[in-house]
């Protein structure tokens, strides 16, 4: 484990050194010419060379710690986001299950309603006959009441005639 750390540190130092060398070579080889129209003179400006001093060890260590802590922070943020997505996925699965159950329930209700409508349509002629019989019975009752009233009047007239 310690060997891996030292190898990694050496690789990072080599990369930093190579980067500094490239920057220095670019700075050394570049001369920038600015042309200006100040009294028809040409102004030549050389870029200053960077003095290569290795950064202090505590700065390097602080940078590493900063990057490490930033990486840990980002990792934590990503883990939180992943957990949020897992929760959303679970909620979506539960919602799908609930909607599937509701769909089956409504399909069963629909089937039951269709069966009831079919039974009603099959019974409808019989219900019409029952309504007609009820109307006929009501008419027959009224006729019976009228007949009863008529017979009572006739009887009272017959008794009145008998008494005379």
């Amino acid at each position: 484990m310690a060997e891996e750390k030292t190898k990694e540190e050496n690789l990072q130092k080599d990369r930093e050194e190579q980067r500094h060398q490239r920057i220095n070579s670019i700075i050394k080889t570049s001369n920038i010419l600015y042309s200006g129209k100040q009294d028809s003179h040409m102004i030549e400006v050389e870029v200053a060379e960077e003095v290569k001093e290795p950064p202090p060890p505590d700065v390097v260590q602080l940078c590493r710690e900063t990057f490490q802590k930033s990486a840990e922070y980002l990792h934590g943020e990503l883990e939180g986001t992943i957990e949020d997505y897992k929760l959303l996925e679970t909620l979506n699965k539960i919602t799908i299950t609930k909607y599937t159950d509701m769909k089956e329930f409504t399909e069963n209700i629909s089937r039951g309603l269709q069966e009831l409508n079919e039974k009603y349509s099959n019974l409808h002629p019989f219900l019409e006959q029952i309504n007609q019989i009820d109307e006929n019975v009501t008419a027959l009752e009224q006729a019976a009441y009228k007949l009863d009233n008529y017979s009572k009047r006739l009887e009272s007239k017959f008794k009145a005639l008998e008494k005379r």
Side-chain angles (χ1 to χ4, degrees):
M1 198 68 155
E3 288 179 29
E4 288 178 15
K5 246 187 183 177
T6 55
K7 285 181 184 178
E8 195 173 303
E9 288 174 0
N10 288 337
L11 282 174
Q12 284 181 343
K13 286 180 184 178
D14 289 342
R15 287 184 195 135
E16 288 176 15
E17 188 174 320
Q18 288 173 357
R19 187 176 61 81
H20 283 292
Q21 287 175 354
R22 280 185 297 218
I23 291 172
N24 286 334
S25 67
I26 290 171
I27 291 172
K28 285 178 186 176
T29 58
S30 66
N31 287 329
I32 302 173
L33 293 175
Y34 292 99
S35 64
K37 296 237 175 174
Q38 297 177 347
D39 298 331
S40 304
H41 293 110
M42 192 115 164
I43 301 172
E44 187 175 310
V45 177
E46 279 189 33
V47 178
E49 289 186 24
E50 179 182 348
V51 179
K52 184 178 178 184
E53 291 180 20
D58 59 333
V59 171
V60 172
Q61 183 61 32
L62 288 173
C63 286
R64 284 190 183 128
E65 286 178 14
T66 302
F67 284 120
Q68 179 65 29
K69 289 182 180 182
S70 296
E72 288 174 6
Y73 170 77
L74 290 174
H75 183 72
E77 287 291 318
L78 290 174
E79 286 295 319
T81 304
I82 288 170
E83 291 300 318
D84 288 344
Y85 280 119
K86 285 180 182 177
L87 176 63
L88 280 173
E89 183 180 12
T90 304
L91 288 173
N92 283 339
K93 287 178 181 177
I94 291 170
T95 304
I96 287 169
T97 305
K98 293 265 185 196
Y99 277 113
T100 303
D101 292 345
M102 288 172 58
K103 178 185 171 193
E104 290 174 6
F105 184 71
T106 54
E107 285 175 351
N108 289 338
I109 289 174
S110 177
R111 261 187 254 114
L113 188 59
Q114 283 178 340
E115 289 174 7
L116 283 175
N117 284 336
E118 287 174 13
K119 287 178 182 178
Y120 178 76
S121 64
N122 290 338
L123 290 176
H124 189 69
F126 298 112
L127 294 174
E128 286 295 321
Q129 286 178 355
I130 290 172
N131 286 340
Q132 287 177 352
I133 291 171
D134 184 47
E135 289 173 5
N136 291 339
V137 167
T138 304
L140 190 58
E141 280 180 355
Q142 288 177 354
Y145 285 130
K146 286 180 183 177
L147 187 59
D148 187 43
N149 284 337
Y150 181 72
S151 64
K152 284 181 184 176
R153 278 186 288 155
L154 209 76
E155 185 181 348
S156 65
K157 280 185 183 181
F158 180 69
K159 285 185 182 177
L161 284 175
E162 246 181 26
K163 282 186 187 176
R164 276 199 220 170

